[in-house]
């Protein structure tokens, strides 16, 4: 079948051409081929089950791929570069978002529960990172990864935009509702009085834009920080991804910039932030923590201080652990002490496939509360160029939407 993939292991040495973390592949290492990769079969489905204890007694589906997306950095992930992922003919297939049509159902002979999906069903999924992705005509998905995909016309999204929802949407869902303990949209209390406050770092990126929309659906008061808040405005998105208040990173501690937040706070001097969702890490996260963890009296005595972390606030990052901040160990220790004093928790996590959660995300799309963000759509044959775009090769890396591959144009 047609597929985009890394090269396979050497037939002489039997060693993979790339290793984690010392020798990751560049986007230029990707190859498009018409027949080097086999269509996933029942035997490969059974192998997928055997190799993962979490897949016991599950049904596996062969999916004919319509769209997938490419994610910045995915070629360097540890799961991508596992030695077992490299065969003689080809290496790993990228693209772990999938929107497609069920083409074959491989039922598990010991399962007492019938398959949830049938041949011909439209489905979406985040595929596990330690298996081949969807940058191919066909891919495998296990039942727990899958959600029904609504017709694009019901959602206000294109199929390409729907394809951007699994990985990014689940990253947001798990950050806000599993790790930060906010109420899911279906359980959130409506109204505007004293809404919980969420600060999103990197709100103009593909994940950040979904975070704004999902947080607003959960009735959170959203403060969105980015390099340029003006890039959040988009008439086509019907204001969905505009936060309640848009600021730059440098304005997090700027009282003047945050004056219009005062009516949301019982304390005229500060608006308490109940959670931070960080999509960027690095200096942006470091500055935010240093500003928001200031002593309240100290903060109010300065020009800043309009935002302050509430006691018991949750800080959730998909960028890196606290220990990877660009600062000295002493500074990290000081931040940890300040968080401990406020009862603030920091959590770094890696998103996991979850079809049940993805179904709730698709329901928000049906309700016209959620729209994906697409930077560019490429044909599968142009996959190498698409990955270079995702990585920002040859230009400053952009975060204004997902790079999408169109696999099947006949559906």
């Amino acid at each position: 079948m047609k597929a985009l993939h890394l090269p396979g292991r050497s037939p002489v040495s039997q060693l993979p051409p790339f290793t984690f973390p010392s020798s990751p592949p560049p986007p230029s290492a990707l190859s498009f081929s018409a027949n080097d990769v086999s269509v996933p079969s029942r035997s490969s489905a059974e192998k997928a089950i055997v190799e993962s204890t979490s897949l016991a007694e599950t049904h596996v589906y062969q999916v004919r791929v319509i769209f997938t997306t490419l994610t910045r950095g995915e070629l360097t992930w540890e799961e991508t570069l596992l030695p077992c992922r490299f065969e003689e003919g080809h290496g790993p297939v990228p693209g772990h978002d999938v929107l497609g049509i069920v083409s074959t159902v491989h039922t598990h002979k010991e399962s007492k529960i019938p398959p949830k999906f049938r041949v011909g069903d439209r489905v979406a999924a985040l595929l596990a990172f330690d298996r081949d992705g969807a940058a191919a005509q066909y891919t495998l998905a296990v039942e727990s990864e899958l959600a029904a995909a609504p017709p694009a016309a019901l959602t206000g999204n294109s199929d390409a935009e729907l394809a951007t929802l699994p990985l990014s949407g689940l990253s947001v869902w798990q950050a806000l509702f599993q790790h930060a303990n906010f109420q899911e949209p279906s359980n959130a209390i409506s109204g505007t009085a004293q809404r919980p406050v969420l600060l999103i770092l990197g709100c103009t990126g593909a994940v950040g834009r979904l975070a704004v929309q999902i947080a607003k659906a959960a009735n959170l008061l959203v403060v969105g920080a980015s390099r340029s808040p003006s890039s959040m405005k988009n008439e086509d998105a019907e204001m969905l991804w505009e936060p309640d208040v848009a600021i730059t990173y440098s304005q997090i501690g700027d009282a003047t910039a945050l004056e219009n937040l005062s009516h949301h706070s019982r304390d005229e001097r500060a608006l308490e932030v109940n959670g931070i969702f960080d999509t960027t890490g690095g200096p942006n996260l470091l500055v935010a923590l240093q500003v928001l963890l200031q002593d309240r009296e100290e903060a109010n005595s300065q020009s800043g201080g309009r935002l302050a972390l509430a006691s018991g606030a949750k800080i959730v990052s998909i960028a890196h652990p606290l220990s990877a901040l660009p600062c000295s160990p002493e500074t990290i220790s000081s931040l940890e002490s300040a968080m401990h004093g406020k009862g603030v928790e920091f959590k770094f996590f890696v998103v996991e496939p979850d079809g049940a959660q993805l179904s709730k995300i698709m329901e928000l799309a049906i309700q016209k509360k959620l729209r994906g963000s697409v930077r560019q759509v490429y044909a599968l044959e142009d996959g190498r160029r698409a990955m270079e775009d995702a990585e920002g090769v040859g230009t400053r890396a952009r975060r204004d939407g997902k790079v999408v591959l169109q696999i099947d144009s006949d559906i």
Side-chain angles (χ1 to χ4, degrees):
M1 66 177 177
K2 296 178 180 178
L4 180 72
H5 58 86
L6 288 171
R9 65 176 182 263
S10 166
V12 177
S13 68
Q14 294 296 301
L15 295 175
F18 305 103
T19 57
F20 175 87
S22 59
S23 180
S28 59
L30 286 170
S31 297
F32 167 80
S33 62
N35 52 26
D36 287 347
V37 181
S38 300
V39 174
S41 61
R42 174 179 290 274
S43 61
S44 53
E46 292 172 349
K47 180 181 178 183
I49 293 174
V50 169
E51 290 181 348
S52 176
T53 56
S54 65
L55 303 184
E57 297 188 14
T58 191
H59 304 298
V60 179
Y61 300 80
Q62 182 192 83
V63 177
R64 184 180 177 189
V65 183
I66 306 174
F67 286 99
T68 187
T69 75
L70 299 178
T71 301
R72 186 182 184 193
E74 70 172 287
L75 296 183
T76 68
W77 295 342
E78 183 175 6
E79 299 91 335
T80 301
L81 300 178
L82 291 171
C84 62
R85 300 287 306 279
F86 292 86
E87 302 177 14
E88 281 197 17
H90 67 87
V93 174
H96 291 272
D97 287 309
V98 61
L99 179 74
I101 306 292
V102 174
S103 54
T104 305
V105 180
H106 299 295
T107 58
H108 193 285
K109 60 184 179 182
E110 296 180 9
S111 176
K112 297 180 176 62
I113 302 173
K116 183 178 180 181
F117 302 97
R118 298 180 296 179
V119 171
D121 285 351
R122 269 174 62 95
V123 293
L126 169 62
L127 304 176
F129 301 132
D130 60 357
R131 303 200 317 271
D132 274 347
Q137 288 178 291
Y138 295 91
T139 192
L140 289 178
V142 300
E143 187 162 279
S144 60
E145 296 170 338
L146 286 168
L154 291 182
T155 69
N157 287 263
S158 65
D159 273 347
E161 289 169 330
L162 283 177
T164 70
L165 298 183
L167 192 156
S168 297
L170 286 169
S171 295
V172 175
W173 195 274
Q174 292 169 19
L176 299 189
F177 309 128
Q178 281 186 212
H179 301 299
N181 297 331
F182 289 114
Q183 293 292 311
E184 293 183 11
S186 60
N187 299 325
I189 300 174
S190 60
T192 58
Q194 289 304 118
R195 289 184 289 163
V197 179
L198 174 69
L199 172 63
I200 301 172
L201 302 179
C203 63
T204 58
V207 178
R209 286 176 174 178
L210 289 183
V212 171
Q213 296 171 73
I214 293 174
K216 290 168 75 172
N219 199 40
L220 302 181
L221 194 158
V222 181
V223 181
S226 67
R227 288 192 181 92
S228 175
S230 62
S231 62
M232 287 176 244
K233 298 184 179 296
N234 189 303
E235 294 180 0
D236 292 338
E238 301 176 352
M239 316 291 281
L240 284 177
W241 61 52
E242 289 190 35
D244 294 292
V245 177
I247 60 175
T248 63
Y249 298 119
S250 62
Q251 292 174 325
I252 289 175
D254 186 342
T256 302
L258 299 172
E259 282 178 353
N260 55 342
L261 281 176
S262 59
H263 65 283
H264 294 292
S265 176
R266 293 174 181 168
D267 185 340
E268 294 182 357
R269 299 169 299 173
L271 180 73
E272 287 199 328
V273 174
N274 304 102
I276 298 176
F277 178 42
D278 166 54
T279 72
T280 66
N284 301 326
L285 176 59
L286 176 60
V287 170
L289 293 178
Q290 289 175 324
V291 170
L292 299 181
L293 286 169
Q294 289 182 91
D295 179 79
R296 176 68 64 83
E297 292 184 4
E298 177 187 353
N300 289 331
S301 69
Q302 300 176 8
S303 60
R306 299 299 298 182
L307 289 178
L309 275 177
S311 177
K314 310 289 186 181
I315 304 169
V316 183
S317 177
I318 59 172
H320 56 65
L322 190 68
S323 59
L325 281 172
C327 59
S328 67
E330 292 76 17
T331 298
I332 292 175
S333 179
S334 176
L335 291 173
E336 289 175 331
S337 296
M339 284 189 285
H340 180 73
K342 282 178 164 283
V344 172
E345 296 181 18
F346 183 98
K347 172 75 174 183
F348 164 71
F349 81 103
V350 176
V351 63
E352 296 181 351
D354 192 310
Q357 293 175 348
L358 184 56
S359 293
K360 296 177 181 180
I361 291 169
M362 290 298 173
E363 182 60 32
L364 289 182
I366 293 172
Q367 295 171 9
K368 307 290 179 69
K369 295 180 179 179
L370 193 62
R371 184 166 178 179
S373 179
V374 174
R375 179 192 309 171
Q376 183 73 41
V377 178
Y378 291 86
L380 179 60
E381 292 81 354
D382 294 324
R384 179 188 295 177
R385 186 158 59 94
M387 183 59 83
E388 290 174 343
D389 187 3
E391 295 287 356
V393 174
T395 183
R396 181 177 179 178
R398 297 177 295 167
R399 298 176 180 269
D400 55 352
K402 294 281 284 186
V403 171
V404 177
L405 289 181
Q406 183 168 3
I407 311 300
D408 196 327
S409 59
D410 297 330
I411 299 178

